[in-house]
Amino acid sequence: MSAANATVEQLATPPLGSKANPCVVAVIGNPNTGKTTLFNALTGLSQHTGNYAGVTVDSSLGTFTEGDTHFLLVDLPGSYSLTPRAPDEAVAVRALIGSGETARPHVVLCIVDATNLDRNLFLLTQVLESGLPVVVCLTMVDVAKREGMRIDYRELSRRLGVPIVPVHATRRQGISQLKAALRDSAVAGDAATARVPLPKPIAEAVDGMIPLLNSNGRRSRFLAQRLLFDRDGFLDRELRGEIPAAARSYADAARQRLGQAGFALPGVEVAERYEWIRDLLSDSVDDGSGARFAWTRRIDAVVTHRVWGATLFLGAMAFVFQAIFTWAAPFMDAIDGAFGALGDATAAIVPDGVLQSLLVDGVIGGVGAVLVFVPQIAILFALITIMEDSGYMARAAFLMDRAMSSFGLSGRSFIPLLSSFACAVPGIMATRSVEDRRDRLTTIMIAPLMSCSARLPVYVLFIAAFIPPVTVAGVLGLQGLTLFAMYMVGIVVAPCVAWVLKRTRLKGPPVPFLLELPPYKIPSWRVVLFRVYDRSWAFVRRAGTVILATAILIWALSYFPNRPDITERYDALRAGAADAAAVEELDRREAGEHLRASFLGQAGIAIEPLVRPLGWDWRIGMATLASFPAREVVIAALGTIYSLGDGTDETSPELRSTMRSATWPDGTPVFTPVVALSVMVFFALCSQCAATLATIRRETGSWGPPIFTFVYMTTLAYFAALAVYQIGSRLA
Amino acid sequence: MGLHPSIAIENGIQYHPAMARTLADLGPSQEGVIASIEGDDGISHRLAELGFTPGITVRYIRRAPLGDPIQVGVRGFELAVRASEARRVVLA
């Protein structure tokens, strides 16, 4: 900030670099430059994902101190250019400009990949024009050296007029020098001065625009320049009305005039910068042999090969699936068991009644239902991070792009959808790598259609109970086929939904698919472990609070009004019971009757006319309502409603046989294979998961997408179940 | 090398500027020098920003198993571009 900007308010704030007023460092760089690794090395565990004031997408924030100076690091989205092509990219530019609540950073840390100087310096030349102090961090220096490049850092630093610090983030070399350089820059506050000279007519157009902006100092020149190059208006929109109409029309007219004079923007800007960079590098860098990354080429000859690449890809996907289901199982059982034991222990201490029920069924049961997914999330994120950090993920997107583009998405959406087979929550979080806003929203809204691990117990219960274990065509088991078909329901429906969304609500211009295929490297264990910790904890914290509240609500609805007349009647019956077994049977029946009389049970009876066409009775309807917080709750709910009490799981033979013998008032059985299919199809398509909806709300920043997702999925599920029952029962 | 239709045209008589050879017309492991980038929209500007500028050599590495996108090399790094984007990169 220049002294002229100082106001009374600013004089009253604590000194810059104190804990209350830390030096803000914006971290910017091309994608795949090791930005995350560096961010982790600088801030360690003192970072979190949060909303930086005014920035709408989540950015990672981190803190560190150097000497007695406090720093706040803001990780901006990876960008190739400060001329935005998408709303998300405009966020990075806006952060450098500063607007509204977002203060301008004190220092910009620009990450430059030493093995890819041309393209990385392109962004740097734009950042240098920001009028802010700039520090360059050079990554992949060791790789560049191994590949035969020789870089004259001192010459490069002199020509660019900014400090350049080479680092090896995974080995933590150069980190302390980088921190010192950031402190020195923050203290001195000297803005970078190197400029790519622009052709005179363009420079004059920038000069003419400055007085039209309500800005001053170095910021105004940067702002004028960026607006002039922002032909598609993304930056203008991101700045939300800060730009006066006069400046806007001036920029439009200037671009047109310049275009006619042979200085078409932004094309001329790009050409000038690359020319300047070529001269710069010819003086400071010896490129070596030129044949770089021999290993990556050799690996790619297999990994992106027509036959071997596709085979390897299918193998890798099968491995991920297998790992999520088998490796996680013992941990999930352990967590389940621990919460069960905790519930039993609590029940032994707390006397029977409202408090016991609230603690055991509401709190412990609700929290346990969330935490049981942590092992799957941890394993999934470990595997995804390994694939990302090694460079394989970009190849997976490359292999799948053609298939995804047939329904309007790109290869980038593939991994989030794959993750959603474990759990839609991490899948939705993984959509951050989808650059285009419309593609990202579409991916978020179809991700919950992938059959997640919480649907599996529902399928297992109904298939075991109602699908006969016969063989079809001599080899295939009908039960296995049904399970496969349930997974296919989501796989078939999701592309159709995406296709419709991309043609209606989320229609937009075609998005280019320009995906960098970075050189392969050994994944950093620090990055993998940090991501697993970060994502697992985020899941526990965010979803845990929401699902806990919902679980308590559902508990209350299924417990109250807890009519005393029912309790009294059963107390009298129990007094006359012959043996312990008879008492137990009476306890079960009492629980069932209380549930029927509860608010939730009453709601189930009220909606029976609505679910009758699906072949369901009020009990299935009620269980479905109760399973709003989490699908797998339907099993416990069915268990209770069929008067079996607690301790029911999908493999318990009692639940299966009781469900088989359940009848309508006229004596015909409730459950037939067709009804079972109708229930399963409903659960395959519905969005009965509070954690997913909360995550969608969190990731999109508004209530529209989760509400839309819930409504369309529930409607789809209802009509699909209706079709299955109505057609199936006529065929049967 | 007469596999690609536009190469066949180029080797024959009917060469027309509108049918200029593009990055999409190269075969595996072939190289070409960029003459210009077609179009004046966000996609062509992004290609230029990534380093697809006149005079630079581009390399067609291979196609994805499903036929699209294409793995290409430019300025010492590799990226995936769809054929529709590669057709904008006109070669000399």
Side-chain angles (χ1 to χ4, degrees):
Chain A
M1 281 297 138
S2 67
N5 274 352
T7 63
V8 179
E9 277 165 38
Q10 279 175 321
L11 291 174
T13 56
L16 182 64
S18 65
K19 204 172 161 87
N21 184 19
C23 283
V24 177
V25 179
V27 187
I28 195 163
N30 279 192
N32 304 307
T33 48
K35 194 151 70 81
T36 312
T37 316
L38 181 81
F39 196 84
N40 289 348
L42 278 172
T43 65
L45 290 180
S46 54
Q47 57 170 282
H48 59 280
T49 311
N51 268 333
Y52 179 55
V55 178
T56 46
V57 294
D58 272 346
S59 352
S60 281
L61 301 179
T63 57
F64 71 88
T65 52
E66 167 65 14
D68 46 12
T69 313
H70 292 259
F71 286 90
L72 173 67
L73 251 64
V74 184
D75 192 14
L76 298 178
S79 318
Y80 289 114
S81 163
L82 294 187
T83 308
R85 304 264 170 260
D88 289 359
E89 290 178 326
V91 168
V93 192
R94 180 172 181 239
L96 294 188
I97 288 171
S99 170
E101 293 168 70
T102 316
R104 278 194 107 188
H106 301 103
V107 182
V108 185
L109 174 58
C110 188
I111 318 281
V112 170
D113 177 349
T115 63
N116 202 337
L117 283 171
D118 288 22
R119 205 195 58 211
N120 280 261
L121 290 178
F122 178 84
L123 177 69
L124 177 65
T125 62
Q126 294 179 325
V127 171
L128 290 176
E129 289 158 2
S130 64
L132 293 166
V134 176
V135 173
V136 172
C137 168
L138 209 56
T139 58
M140 315 278 178
V141 182
D142 52 325
V143 183
K145 200 170 173 184
R146 205 163 54 223
E147 300 291 340
M149 290 175 71
R150 273 194 301 280
I151 302 167
D152 185 345
Y153 304 122
R154 217 167 298 157
E155 176 63 12
L156 204 56
S157 172
R158 196 183 63 77
R159 294 278 294 266
L160 290 166
V162 292
I164 296 181
V165 186
V167 302
H168 192 318
T170 42
R171 289 201 196 131
R172 304 192 163 246
Q173 289 165 0
I175 298 298
S176 55
Q177 288 90 325
L178 183 60
K179 286 181 176 175
L182 287 170
R183 191 197 50 201
D184 293 346
S185 289
V187 170
D190 293 334
T193 50
R195 298 284 181 270
V196 174
L198 291 170
K200 207 164 163 248
I202 298 180
E204 283 168 0
V206 173
D207 289 338
M209 187 154 170
I210 292 173
L212 302 174
L213 298 163
N214 298 325
S215 183
N216 49 29
R218 295 188 287 250
R219 178 182 185 268
S220 61
R221 175 165 295 274
F222 181 52
L223 181 59
Q225 198 162 318
R226 293 277 38 116
L227 282 170
L228 190 64
F229 299 156
D230 177 41
R231 201 187 58 165
D232 300 325
F234 283 113
L235 181 58
D236 188 7
R237 281 191 288 280
E238 181 66 26
L239 291 171
R240 291 189 198 97
E242 194 211 304
I243 307 307
R248 190 175 301 138
S249 48
Y250 176 92
D252 290 341
R255 266 195 300 272
Q256 197 155 9
R257 200 177 61 235
L258 288 166
Q260 282 158 2
F263 297 99
L265 287 173
V268 172
E269 181 208 356
V270 177
E272 293 290 329
R273 287 188 200 281
Y274 270 117
E275 204 151 310
W276 191 82
I277 291 164
R278 194 190 58 202
D279 292 345
L280 172 75
L281 292 182
S282 66
D283 294 344
S284 55
V285 175
D286 177 1
D287 217 356
S289 60
R292 266 177 261 160
F293 304 116
W295 266 109
T296 289
R297 287 180 186 198
R298 253 173 260 168
I299 296 171
D300 261 348
V302 177
V303 169
T304 59
H305 185 268
R306 200 165 282 246
V307 179
W308 307 128
T311 314
L312 193 75
F313 171 76
L314 292 175
M317 293 310 109
F319 175 78
V320 170
F321 256 86
Q322 194 61 21
I324 289 167
F325 285 115
T326 57
W327 297 357
F331 298 100
M332 294 175 79
D333 290 346
I335 293 173
D336 215 22
F339 273 89
L342 185 65
D344 291 345
T346 312
I349 300 165
V350 184
D352 271 2
V354 189
L355 184 64
Q356 190 202 69
S357 181
L358 169 66
L359 287 177
V360 176
D361 303 330
V363 177
I364 297 175
V367 172
V370 176
L371 291 188
V372 81
F373 293 112
V374 170
Q376 288 191 329
I377 287 177
I379 291 173
L380 181 71
F381 271 106
L383 293 175
I384 284 184
T385 313
I386 289 170
M387 289 202 282
E388 251 172 29
D389 212 36
S390 64
Y392 184 73
M393 203 63 104
R395 273 77 183 179
F398 170 72
L399 295 172
M400 284 306 289
D401 180 63
R402 179 69 191 80
M404 306 288 290
S405 71
S406 61
F407 47 90
L409 293 176
S410 81
R412 291 178 198 272
S413 297
F414 175 72
I415 296 302
L417 294 178
L418 175 79
S419 312
S420 301
F421 278 102
C423 176
V425 171
I428 289 163
M429 293 200 279
T431 60
R432 288 180 194 180
S433 60
V434 182
E435 286 169 348
D436 180 68
R437 190 186 60 89
R438 292 182 190 86
D439 278 12
R440 180 169 180 226
L441 260 180
T442 309
T443 312
I444 285 176
M445 293 198 281
I446 65 168
L449 284 171
M450 302 295 128
S451 265
C452 64
S453 57
R455 281 156 167 123
L456 192 60
V458 182
Y459 299 154
V460 169
L461 168 70
F462 281 91
I463 289 174
F466 303 107
I467 304 299
V470 295
T471 338
V472 187
V475 277
L476 300 163
L478 186 59
Q479 293 189 330
L481 269 181
T482 312
L483 184 63
F484 178 73
M486 286 305 127
Y487 274 89
M488 288 310 292
V489 167
I491 295 174
V492 170
V493 170
C496 303
V497 174
W499 192 87
V500 171
L501 282 174
K502 288 290 286 181
R503 262 157 197 78
T504 52
R505 218 176 112 99
L506 296 170
K507 204 178 162 108
V511 187
F513 181 71
L514 297 167
L515 182 74
E516 191 178 349
L517 302 169
Y520 288 104
K521 68 185 178 77
I522 309 267
S524 146
W525 289 111
R526 230 184 238 119
V527 169
V528 174
L529 289 177
F530 181 79
R531 178 84 79 90
V532 167
Y533 156 82
D534 185 54
R535 288 296 142 95
S536 308
W537 181 236
F539 172 77
V540 171
R541 206 178 46 223
R542 291 178 195 170
T545 45
V546 175
I547 205 162
L548 179 59
T550 325
I552 292 173
L553 181 70
I554 294 291
W555 165 84
L557 291 174
S558 61
Y559 184 86
F560 292 108
N562 194 32
R563 283 194 353 231
D565 57 305
I566 298 174
T567 317
E568 277 162 29
R569 189 152 40 82
Y570 276 92
D571 280 346
L573 284 169
R574 264 190 293 262
D579 53 23
V583 171
E584 208 169 297
E585 177 58 29
L586 284 168
D587 284 349
R588 284 177 185 170
R589 269 202 244 158
E590 184 194 0
E593 212 162 311
H594 272 306
L595 198 59
R596 187 189 176 112
S598 73
F599 294 123
L600 195 64
Q602 292 301 304
I605 292 166
I607 66 158
E608 197 181 61
L610 199 64
V611 298
R612 274 301 287 274
L614 311 186
W616 303 4
D617 69 348
W618 72 271
R619 290 172 286 201
I620 308 176
M622 195 217 80
T624 306
L625 284 183
S627 65
F628 167 73
R631 293 178 182 89
E632 63 280 24
V633 171
V634 75
I635 288 160
L638 284 170
T640 323
I641 201 92
Y642 284 104
S643 301
L644 282 161
D646 288 333
T648 310
D649 64 41
E650 70 274 16
T651 51
S652 57
E654 298 86 10
L655 180 57
R656 263 187 245 167
S657 57
T658 320
M659 279 169 53
R660 280 196 195 120
S661 57
T663 56
W664 291 100
D666 67 4
T668 55
V670 171
F671 284 104
T672 63
V674 176
V675 172
L677 274 181
S678 153
V679 174
M680 282 191 282
V681 165
F682 184 90
F683 274 85
L685 295 174
C686 72
S687 72
Q688 308 275 88
C689 179
T692 298
L693 296 173
T695 308
I696 297 179
R697 159 75 182 83
R698 168 98 198 151
E699 291 288 316
T700 58
S702 78
W703 282 107
I707 292 170
F708 178 81
T709 305
F710 181 77
V711 171
Y712 101 76
M713 286 182 71
T714 308
T715 312
L716 206 59
Y718 182 85
F719 285 103
L722 180 73
V724 165
Y725 180 72
Q726 294 298 338
I727 297 169
S729 56
R730 277 168 182 75
L731 291 177
Chain B
M1 271 295 151
L3 288 171
H4 282 271
S6 50
I7 291 176
I9 290 165
E10 192 200 43
N11 291 341
I13 323 134
Q14 278 187 305
Y15 183 79
H16 189 270
M19 290 177 174
R21 200 169 61 131
T22 71
L23 175 56
D25 301 320
L26 293 177
S29 304
Q30 288 185 341
E31 290 186 345
V33 175
I34 300 174
S36 65
I37 306 293
E38 287 281 302
D40 183 32
D41 59 0
I43 297 175
S44 20
H45 295 148
R46 178 44 48 95
L47 281 168
E49 285 171 339
L50 287 171
F52 289 86
T53 54
I56 293 294
T57 302
V58 282
R59 185 182 166 84
Y60 181 115
I61 298 163
R62 67 181 71 83
R63 239 173 236 284
L66 297 173
D68 203 17
I70 308 165
Q71 186 173 355
V72 302
V74 69
R75 290 187 188 256
F77 75 101
E78 292 181 3
L79 76 168
V81 297
R82 287 186 183 157
S84 58
E85 288 141 12
R87 270 193 286 275
R88 292 158 174 265
V89 181
V90 180
L91 303 178

